[in-house]
Amino acid sequence: MSVTIRPETIPVMADDPYSDENLTNPYPLFERMRAAGPAVWLEKYQVLAFAGFQECKEILDDYRTFISSAGVGPKDLHKEPAWRPQGILESDPPVHGPMRAAMAGVISPRGVRELRPAFEAFADELVSALIERGGFDGVTDLAELFPIRVFGDAVGIPREDREANLLPHGAMNFSAFGPDDERSREFFGKGEGTHEWVMHNCDRENLSPDGMGAKIWEFADRGEITADQAALLVRAMLSAGLDTTVFSIGNTLHSLAAHPEQWAQLHANPKLAKFAIDEALRYNSPFQSFFRTTGQDTTFRGIELPAGTKVVLFMGAANRDTKHWGENADEYIISRNAGGHLAFGMGIHQCVGQPISRLEMDVLFTALAKRVKSIELAGEPVPYLHNTLRGWKSLPVRITPA
Ligand code: OVM
């Protein structure tokens, strides 16, 4: 990263947010970062970092100053080539607008409503099988299985080879939004070939005619986006829409299993599912951080930032900021108003897939809440260490039917 700001005016931290230890439990470091000031200089990465709610929100909202087309990882894509063609995420207005409109047109709350019956049918089937077993792995047997089936079907890709491609592809792709280190290179190694599989399935002729992927291509037919953009938008569905929801389900399940009194409230009133989910998104945000780049010289919180400066925003830290959430920010409380958290981002790039991700989670946790009396951890959960994603690799749980 090339940066010309003057770090002597900012608290310098030698800590590495991407170490095994800090990825396992980032919250003590996040707290020290927030206590040090509105921004800290991460010496190891030579980058300015923000961990406060208000700072992260303001930067995300100000898309004119803090741009995305130079990449939302540490690499400046205005100076170095991206590992893949840039899509909706790594673009600015005016390029961004028509792509966003197509995506929002296909994944609107109204548009995804018709998916509910199919989601409910598979959730029922899955929950019945899990109740039968009693004990299972919350990640592989639930969090991964559910979106791979229902979301893959909704987009309209073949059922074959989904898990072998989509999960390693997501882990590889999301690695590019953090530092280029040994961990990241390992995910790139494991993801080899998956990008080709994904791109192949973004082609119109390989998508089922009734899915969301095909609906994106209709925007190209009408000349609202180009054919290249249509393929990139289907790619965005497949790369952004899967791991994120997998991790969200795993994290919600973990939060509820680790807090039996919160599960009891949810079981007593399954309509609270959406609140339990939002609070879990705040409490352990599946997507921890994004970079932005200043598109022009600017001053933020009194810090002079020349054009082309990279900044990293830890939304996972913002979502635990006691200044915003109160002294109990580190507690999982489903009756809290977690609305406004930054787990889906904020501003013009805020997750456009939210309606479908929320529908998947609402259907699944409502089914569980109705049919499961209690849930408990049946072994040590194994964290999934990743530079950008936060979640679990394994989550042994035991459930008791209602
Ligand atoms: C991508 C992509 C697009 C949107 C969001 C995202 C949350 C990734 O194309 O990789 O991450």
Side-chain angles (χ1 to χ4, degrees):
M1 274 165 255
S2 68
V3 179
T4 43
I5 65 162
R6 296 175 13 251
E8 65 268 24
T9 61
I10 302 151
V12 175
M13 290 182 81
D15 302 78
D16 181 359
Y18 302 99
S19 69
D20 283 7
E21 191 192 344
N22 285 325
L23 289 177
T24 304
N25 178 14
Y27 301 112
L29 172 58
F30 287 160
E31 196 179 328
R32 282 192 288 118
M33 287 168 75
R34 286 192 305 267
V40 299
W41 180 257
L42 294 178
E43 199 170 31
K44 177 162 181 191
Y45 300 100
Q46 295 285 293
V47 70
L48 197 64
F50 293 89
F53 182 88
Q54 200 53 38
E55 286 75 19
C56 289
K57 179 171 153 40
E58 280 176 40
I59 291 171
L60 289 171
D61 270 331
D62 187 0
Y63 64 90
R64 289 188 181 84
T65 308
F66 295 95
I67 65 172
S68 291
S69 62
V72 296
K75 199 154 106 173
D76 187 338
L77 303 185
H78 286 171
K79 296 180 181 143
E80 289 177 84
W83 74 273
R84 55 168 195 172
Q86 287 172 240
I88 183 171
L89 179 71
E90 293 178 309
S91 70
D92 295 316
V95 174
H96 174 261
M99 286 196 280
R100 174 81 188 194
M103 210 67 155
V106 173
I107 326 180
S108 66
R110 183 199 288 258
V112 302
R113 216 157 43 193
E114 65 191 52
L115 298 170
R116 186 178 271 272
F119 287 14
E120 283 177 344
F122 188 61
D124 273 342
E125 198 183 304
L126 193 55
V127 172
S128 298
L130 295 175
I131 285 175
E132 195 68 35
R133 285 169 62 180
F136 60 93
D137 191 307
V139 175
T140 48
D141 300 330
L142 181 65
E144 292 182 352
L145 231 140
F146 187 72
I148 285 175
R149 167 65 81 87
V150 302
F151 183 74
D153 285 3
V155 176
I157 58 166
R159 282 198 178 161
E160 215 170 31
D161 300 330
R162 282 182 191 173
E163 49 276 75
N165 283 284
L166 292 173
L167 296 174
H169 176 261
M172 167 175 74
N173 182 42
F174 289 128
S175 285
F177 306 137
D180 178 9
D181 58 11
E182 209 178 303
R183 188 190 322 278
S184 161
R185 283 190 288 271
E186 198 178 317
F187 283 118
F188 264 82
K190 286 185 189 152
E192 223 182 286
T194 60
H195 188 245
E196 290 70 19
W197 186 91
V198 166
M199 290 317 296
H200 177 76
N201 285 302
C202 293
D203 284 346
R204 162 167 249 169
E205 56 272 26
N206 299 324
L207 288 160
S208 73
D210 53 347
M212 298 195 304
K215 290 203 176 83
I216 286 288
W217 277 96
E218 290 169 16
F219 282 79
D221 291 341
R222 293 195 294 268
E224 293 171 35
I225 53 172
T226 67
D228 284 348
Q229 288 176 329
L232 289 176
L233 287 178
V234 184
R235 183 192 75 178
M237 284 182 176
L238 295 177
S239 54
L242 200 89
D243 288 47
T244 45
T245 308
V246 167
F247 279 68
S248 299
I249 293 171
N251 291 358
T252 304
L253 194 71
H254 174 262
S255 297
L256 289 163
H259 298 87
E261 77 294 348
Q262 302 296 312
W263 181 271
Q265 284 182 38
L266 177 60
H267 178 59
N269 184 3
K271 285 207 164 60
L272 297 178
K274 45 177 78 60
F275 302 102
I277 292 159
D278 254 318
E279 171 67 347
L281 288 166
R282 180 197 71 81
Y283 182 65
N284 274 314
S285 304
F287 210 97
Q288 287 277 297
S289 56
F290 261 134
F291 287 69
R292 289 290 189 268
T293 315
T294 51
Q296 65 212 37
D297 295 352
T298 191
T299 303
F300 185 80
R301 296 291 192 271
I303 307 164
E304 283 177 35
L305 305 170
T309 303
K310 282 280 179 183
V311 297
V312 56
L313 315 174
F314 288 96
M315 294 95 72
N319 285 340
R320 294 284 194 107
D321 188 346
T322 52
K323 273 210 293 246
H324 184 81
W325 303 102
E327 283 309 315
N328 60 9
D330 284 324
E331 291 169 45
Y332 178 72
I333 305 170
I334 69 172
S335 59
R336 175 204 307 276
N337 179 8
H341 64 70
L342 302 183
F344 287 114
M346 198 47 78
I348 66 166
H349 290 280
Q350 189 183 44
C351 179
V352 71
Q354 268 183 81
I356 191 161
S357 181
R358 288 181 178 282
L359 179 66
E360 288 171 70
M361 292 191 278
D362 188 51
V363 163
L364 187 59
F365 282 98
T366 301
L368 284 166
K370 284 183 178 161
R371 298 179 58 193
V372 174
K373 184 164 181 281
S374 66
I375 177 162
E376 59 190 2
L377 292 170
E380 247 337 278
V382 181
Y384 186 101
L385 300 191
H386 187 283
N387 289 344
T388 304
L389 299 166
R390 175 165 181 74
W392 302 100
K393 184 186 242 163
S394 169
L395 211 49
V397 294
R398 203 171 10 247
I399 56 178
T400 311

